[in-house]
């Protein structure tokens, strides 16, 4: 089946930029997503990018997509302690009946050091 | 964005019993899904809840264990039947409309003792 890989942990100092990386295997991915999960909470959709785009910026968040290498990254500028959470990368394929299904990575736990 | 209300938010259940989780959306949505997130793990799709017909289950999940209802375009239930400690997980409802966004409920934290 399709696979999404992320590093498990990232630690940054408050005020620095955070970069969370993700790789995926599905060459027919249509959309790629970043979700944030705070302790005890559900998943919050942060942003998503269409597969024919290479960059999307939304306030402190910048998503970069390298479709050739199947590599997605999420950059958080001026990281704050409130950004401490688990970040999930997910992709939506284009496989007919299964085209609505999202495949998730294992999540990257971001720790922000004050 | 869709507002999703999932109930209960958490529960502690005895093994051998069943728990029904409800998912209510504030607008009609095309697709509703149920996911499981085991402790420290990623999300695994259990099934797609189809309005007016039987749910579509993923490999490893069966209707007898996880019966699902979807009577209309804004509501679905997932039942975890004959529970064992291995069923202790977070269960999440997800919805997608006509656009690419996929939204999630707050999850139900289930502990089976």
């Amino acid at each position: 089946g399709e696979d999404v890989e992320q590093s498990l942990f990232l630690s940054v100092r408050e005020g620095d930029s955070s970069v969370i990386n993700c790789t995926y295997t599905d060459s027919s991915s249509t959309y790629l997503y970043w979700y944030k999960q705070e302790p005890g909470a559900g998943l919050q959709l942060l942003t998503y990018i269409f597969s024919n785009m290479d960059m999307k910026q939304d306030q402190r968040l910048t998503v970069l997509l390298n479709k050739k290498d199947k590599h997605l990254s999420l950059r958080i500028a001026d990281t704050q302690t409130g950004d401490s959470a688990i970040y999930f990368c997910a992709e939506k394929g284009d496989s007919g009946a299964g085209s609505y299904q999202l495949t998730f990575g294992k999540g990257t736990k971001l720790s922000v050091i004050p | 964005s869709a507002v999703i209300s999932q109930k209960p938010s958490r529960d502690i259940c005895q093994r051998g019993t069943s728990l029904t989780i409800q998912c209510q959306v504030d607008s009609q949505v095309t697709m509703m899904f149920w996911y499981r997130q085991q402790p420290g793990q990623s999300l695994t799709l259990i099934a797609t809840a189809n309005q007016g017909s039987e749910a579509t289950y993923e490999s490893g999940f069966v209707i007898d264990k996880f019966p699902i209802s979807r009577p209309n375009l804004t509501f679905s239930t997932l039942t975890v039947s004959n529970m064992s400690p291995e069923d202790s997980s977070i269960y999440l409802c997800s919805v997608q409309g006509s656009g690419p966004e996929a939204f999630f409920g707050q999850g139900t934290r289930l502990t089976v003792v």
Side-chain angles (χ1 to χ4, degrees):
Chain A
E2 306 303 341
D3 198 19
V4 177
E5 298 282 344
Q6 301 176 239
S7 53
L8 295 182
F9 302 99
L10 176 65
S11 182
V12 299
R13 293 204 173 274
E14 189 174 17
D16 288 350
S17 292
S18 307
V19 179
I20 303 171
N21 294 300
C22 170
T23 59
Y24 59 98
T25 60
D26 186 357
S27 57
S28 66
S29 290
T30 55
Y31 290 92
L32 296 117
Y33 303 80
W34 284 105
Y35 286 88
K36 177 183 181 183
Q37 186 177 38
E38 296 180 85
L43 268 69
Q44 175 193 353
L45 176 62
L46 289 177
T47 187
Y48 64 93
I49 188 168
F50 187 43
S51 60
N52 70 351
M53 298 171 62
D54 51 20
M55 187 182 90
K56 182 178 181 180
Q57 188 155 0
D58 183 2
Q59 300 182 335
R60 291 192 298 123
L61 305 179
T62 303
V63 178
L64 295 178
L65 174 60
N66 182 326
K67 192 172 183 179
K68 173 176 169 289
D69 294 339
K70 299 189 183 69
H71 182 268
L72 182 75
S73 68
L74 173 69
R75 178 177 181 270
I76 305 172
D78 186 25
T79 311
Q80 303 297 307
T81 54
D83 295 323
S84 294
I86 299 175
Y87 291 80
F88 288 95
C89 169
E91 65 92 17
K92 180 190 290 186
D94 183 17
S95 53
S99 61
Y100 284 97
Q101 179 176 335
L102 300 188
T103 301
F104 285 82
K106 292 188 186 299
T108 299
K109 184 175 183 179
L110 173 64
S111 298
V112 181
I113 305 165
Chain B
S1 66
V3 177
I4 304 168
S5 173
Q6 197 174 326
K7 296 179 184 179
S9 59
R10 61 178 66 244
D11 208 341
I12 301 173
C13 299
Q14 295 290 326
R15 66 178 69 200
T17 62
S18 298
L19 176 71
T20 296
I21 303 167
Q22 297 181 358
C23 178
Q24 178 75 54
V25 193
D26 68 341
S27 58
Q28 293 186 346
V29 292
T30 309
M31 307 296 289
M32 295 183 78
F33 305 89
W34 287 98
Y35 286 81
R36 181 174 73 182
Q37 185 181 20
Q38 293 178 299
Q41 299 297 313
S42 185
L43 281 76
T44 301
L45 181 64
I46 297 171
T48 303
N50 300 310
Q51 193 257 333
S53 64
E54 195 170 283
T56 305
Y57 289 85
E58 297 300 307
S59 175
F61 298 96
V62 295
I63 188 171
D64 290 346
K65 177 67 176 177
F66 297 102
I68 287 171
S69 78
R70 189 175 175 194
N72 56 52
L73 292 175
T74 63
F75 185 78
S76 177
T77 66
L78 168 75
T79 298
V80 186
S81 302
N82 188 25
M83 288 183 284
S84 67
E86 292 71 33
D87 294 321
S88 297
S89 290
I90 301 172
Y91 292 86
L92 295 130
C93 170
S94 176
V95 304
Q96 294 180 41
S98 56
E101 296 95 336
F103 300 104
F104 284 79
Q106 290 298 303
T108 296
R109 280 148 189 80
L110 171 62
T111 303
V112 184
V113 296

